[in-house]
Amino acid sequence: MNTLLAPQRPSGRPDTLRLPSRQIRTSLLDRLALHVGLRLLLWSTRTPRLTDDRRRHAQAYRLQEAVALRERRYFREASLAPRL
Protein backbone atom coordinates (compact mmCIF):
# COMPACT_ATOMS: atom_id res chain seq x y z
CA MET A 1 0.00 0.00 0.00
CA ASN A 2 1.30 3.39 -0.88
CA THR A 3 1.15 5.56 2.26
CA LEU A 4 1.49 8.75 0.30
CA LEU A 5 -1.93 8.23 -1.24
CA ALA A 6 -3.67 7.40 2.06
CA PRO A 7 -5.63 10.17 3.79
CA GLN A 8 -3.41 12.00 6.26
CA ARG A 9 -4.34 13.60 9.56
CA PRO A 10 -2.65 16.84 10.55
CA SER A 11 -1.94 15.62 14.09
CA GLY A 12 -0.25 12.41 12.90
CA ARG A 13 -2.31 10.23 15.24
CA PRO A 14 -4.35 7.41 13.73
CA ASP A 15 -8.07 8.06 13.63
CA THR A 16 -9.94 5.54 15.75
CA LEU A 17 -13.60 4.73 15.50
CA ARG A 18 -15.30 6.64 18.27
CA LEU A 19 -18.96 6.78 18.91
CA PRO A 20 -20.41 10.22 19.59
CA SER A 21 -21.96 9.10 22.87
CA ARG A 22 -21.54 5.85 24.72
CA GLN A 23 -23.87 4.51 27.36
CA ILE A 24 -22.05 3.23 30.39
CA ARG A 25 -24.82 0.87 31.59
CA THR A 26 -27.43 -1.13 29.78
CA SER A 27 -31.01 -0.14 30.40
CA LEU A 28 -33.17 -1.85 32.98
CA LEU A 29 -35.43 -3.27 30.28
CA ASP A 30 -32.45 -4.80 28.43
CA ARG A 31 -31.07 -6.33 31.63
CA LEU A 32 -34.49 -7.77 32.47
CA ALA A 33 -34.84 -9.22 28.96
CA LEU A 34 -31.37 -10.82 29.21
CA HIS A 35 -32.21 -12.26 32.64
CA VAL A 36 -35.51 -13.73 31.40
CA GLY A 37 -33.80 -15.11 28.31
CA LEU A 38 -31.10 -16.79 30.39
CA ARG A 39 -33.70 -18.34 32.70
CA LEU A 40 -35.64 -19.65 29.70
CA LEU A 41 -32.50 -21.18 28.24
CA LEU A 42 -31.65 -22.88 31.53
CA TRP A 43 -35.23 -24.11 31.93
CA SER A 44 -35.34 -25.52 28.41
CA THR A 45 -32.17 -27.58 28.90
CA ARG A 46 -33.25 -29.21 32.16
CA THR A 47 -33.95 -32.92 32.37
CA PRO A 48 -37.46 -33.62 33.60
CA ARG A 49 -37.72 -36.07 36.49
CA LEU A 50 -39.98 -38.55 34.75
CA THR A 51 -38.36 -38.62 31.34
CA ASP A 52 -37.00 -42.08 31.96
CA ASP A 53 -39.26 -45.09 32.25
CA ARG A 54 -41.97 -44.73 34.90
CA ARG A 55 -41.42 -48.29 36.08
CA ARG A 56 -37.72 -47.64 36.64
CA HIS A 57 -38.50 -44.39 38.43
CA ALA A 58 -41.00 -46.14 40.71
CA GLN A 59 -38.50 -48.90 41.46
CA ALA A 60 -35.79 -46.35 42.34
CA TYR A 61 -38.26 -44.53 44.61
CA ARG A 62 -39.23 -47.77 46.39
CA LEU A 63 -35.56 -48.66 46.84
CA GLN A 64 -34.84 -45.23 48.29
CA GLU A 65 -37.75 -45.54 50.71
CA ALA A 66 -36.65 -49.05 51.76
CA VAL A 67 -33.12 -47.81 52.50
CA ALA A 68 -34.50 -44.91 54.54
CA LEU A 69 -36.78 -47.27 56.50
CA ARG A 70 -33.88 -49.64 57.19
CA GLU A 71 -31.74 -46.76 58.43
CA ARG A 72 -34.53 -45.47 60.71
CA ARG A 73 -35.00 -48.97 62.19
CA TYR A 74 -31.27 -49.33 62.78
CA PHE A 75 -30.98 -45.97 64.53
CA ARG A 76 -34.11 -46.69 66.59
CA GLU A 77 -32.77 -50.05 67.76
CA ALA A 78 -29.32 -48.57 68.38
CA SER A 79 -30.80 -45.83 70.53
CA LEU A 80 -33.06 -48.23 72.48
CA ALA A 81 -30.38 -50.87 73.06
CA PRO A 82 -29.16 -51.14 76.66
CA ARG A 83 -25.82 -49.49 77.29
CA LEU A 84 -23.18 -51.30 79.28
Side-chain angles (χ1 to χ4, degrees):
M1 177 174 138
N2 191 350
T3 56
L4 296 176
L5 299 177
Q8 302 293 317
R9 289 183 49 116
S11 66
R13 293 186 194 170
D15 189 17
T16 58
L17 177 64
R18 294 187 184 175
L19 299 175
S21 67
R22 182 176 159 220
Q23 287 187 347
I24 303 297
R25 293 177 50 106
T26 55
S27 69
L28 179 64
L29 185 62
D30 288 338
R31 285 186 284 156
L32 181 66
L34 286 171
H35 185 72
V36 168
L38 178 63
R39 291 292 176 185
L40 284 172
L41 280 172
L42 290 174
W43 181 79
S44 68
T45 58
R46 80 194 193 301
T47 328
R49 264 176 75 185
L50 294 175
T51 53
D52 53 346
D53 188 40
R54 284 189 180 274
R55 213 175 303 139
R56 198 171 86 205
H57 179 73
Q59 181 184 6
Y61 180 76
R62 283 193 301 271
L63 179 65
Q64 182 181 1
E65 288 298 312
V67 168
L69 181 62
R70 235 183 353 256
E71 287 176 354
R72 283 195 302 266
R73 283 182 185 163
Y74 171 78
F75 287 127
R76 183 176 183 273
E77 288 186 21
S79 65
L80 294 177
R83 292 187 168 83
L84 298 176

